[in-house]
Amino acid sequence: MPPPADDPLVQPDPWDALRAHTSARIAIGRVGGSLPSAEVLRFGLAHARARDAVHHPLNGADLATRLRTAGFRVAQVRSQAPDRQTYLLRPDLGRRLHDDDRDALLAAPPAPELAFVLADGLSTFAVERHALPLLEAMRERFTTDWAATPVVMVDQGRVAVGDDIGEALQARMVVVLVGERPGLTSPDSLGIYFTYQPRTGRMDSERNCISNVRPEGLPVDAAADKLSHMLRQSLTLQLSGVGLKDDSEAPEVLKASATVDVANAAPSQRPLP
């Protein structure tokens, strides 16, 4: 039981008000030369959650069922990493699509414009919790042939595997949703990476990133707003990467987006907001 609030031995912590505004580990206090027991326990719990995020297997069957129920065209493939241990020790294998699955995608109907890739990455929790809500939010904001747009789930996948997948599906744009490396306060952070004209061998400088998608970071709706705006920019300018800048929060863009109707425009003909 905690001591009563009026206990004269209990001194108020002046950092309490500041800690209420952040999940960062600030002002954790000390007892002599050590941390308070409560902080040691909180650190252990946070570390355990981060480890679980990395090692917890993705429930691909459940996620695929939820995606199909929501009306998405789903395919399931593998990277060249055969298991989680290999995936963690050999990042290069997680970046390449398994040869058998490449052949299957080459034989599948091509993507009309976009291909979405869901990769477990370093946090399966992120993909399980946030990928479907983000796709549904994008469907409300971005006009394309969603019934034919493939959503490809990759077992043991990293960001660059999207280049192999996008190339096999002949997509103009590939968008990879991947679990980011977990932090001690963010075990379920989702990253978004997109690449114009994906092909094997694309460099990281040729893709763009929107990170920290989670309720405590960048909420799903805000991430979908930013992503849909940047995809329209990318398709219009026919590029991605360092040459494409995020101006989605510029005052003139916010004003234009409230007045320009692009709902009936062909995706490749949509003007920049």
Side-chain angles (χ1 to χ4, degrees):
M1 293 291 292
D6 57 352
D7 189 326
L9 297 179
V10 177
Q11 300 296 317
D13 188 339
W15 288 95
D16 282 344
L18 183 59
R19 279 200 297 266
H21 298 285
T22 178
S23 59
R25 298 176 59 79
I26 63 170
I28 57 179
R30 64 192 175 103
V31 178
S34 304
L35 291 173
S37 297
E39 292 299 332
V40 173
L41 294 173
R42 276 193 281 267
F43 180 87
L45 176 61
H47 188 257
R49 286 173 172 166
R51 289 178 58 88
D52 286 348
V54 172
H55 294 284
H56 177 75
L58 177 68
N59 190 341
D62 175 71
L63 181 56
T65 298
R66 290 191 286 130
L67 287 164
R68 292 190 177 102
T69 300
F72 293 101
R73 168 189 158 192
V74 180
Q76 293 179 265
V77 300
R78 300 156 292 169
S79 75
Q80 293 185 5
D83 52 53
R84 197 62 172 172
Q85 185 69 9
T86 305
Y87 171 83
L88 295 173
L89 294 174
R90 290 286 305 275
D92 57 312
L93 297 180
R95 299 185 182 111
R96 299 305 307 273
L97 183 63
H98 193 283
D99 291 339
D100 292 344
D101 292 320
R102 180 194 299 275
D103 293 340
L105 292 182
L106 286 170
E113 182 175 52
L114 305 177
F116 281 86
V117 174
L118 310 187
D120 43 13
L122 293 173
S123 173
T124 57
F125 295 153
V127 180
E128 290 177 347
R129 295 171 185 174
H130 310 315
L132 178 55
L134 180 64
L135 286 168
E136 291 178 322
M138 283 297 297
R139 191 163 53 184
E140 297 174 356
R141 291 162 170 79
F142 191 86
T143 302
T144 194
D145 185 358
W146 282 102
T149 295
V151 177
V152 183
M153 297 174 51
V154 188
D155 186 40
Q156 314 298 351
R158 294 183 183 267
V159 173
V161 75
D163 297 335
D164 288 6
I165 292 170
E167 183 177 35
L169 290 171
Q170 304 173 47
R172 292 184 66 201
M173 180 82 67
V174 66
V175 182
V176 179
L177 310 182
V178 60
E180 295 183 319
R181 185 186 307 275
L184 290 178
T185 59
S186 56
D188 63 343
S189 181
L190 185 73
I192 306 171
Y193 294 80
F194 64 88
T195 309
Y196 182 76
Q197 289 187 340
R199 62 177 182 269
T200 302
R202 283 288 196 191
M203 297 182 293
D204 288 340
S205 60
E206 296 176 289
R207 62 180 112 256
N208 295 80
C209 174
I210 301 170
S211 65
N212 196 30
V213 179
R214 59 190 182 100
E216 300 83 2
L218 182 67
V220 164
D221 285 343
D225 287 339
K226 188 180 292 289
L227 177 59
S228 59
H229 172 77
M230 294 189 73
L231 289 183
R232 285 193 287 268
Q233 282 186 305
S234 183
L235 290 167
T236 301
L237 299 175
Q238 300 182 22
L239 58 83
S240 60
V242 295
L244 182 66
K245 306 303 180 185
D246 176 16
D247 63 354
S248 59
E249 297 183 9
E252 63 273 14
V253 173
L254 295 176
K255 180 179 179 181
S257 64
T259 58
V260 176
D261 180 14
V262 297
N264 298 315
S268 60
Q269 298 174 337
R270 280 193 288 263
L272 282 174

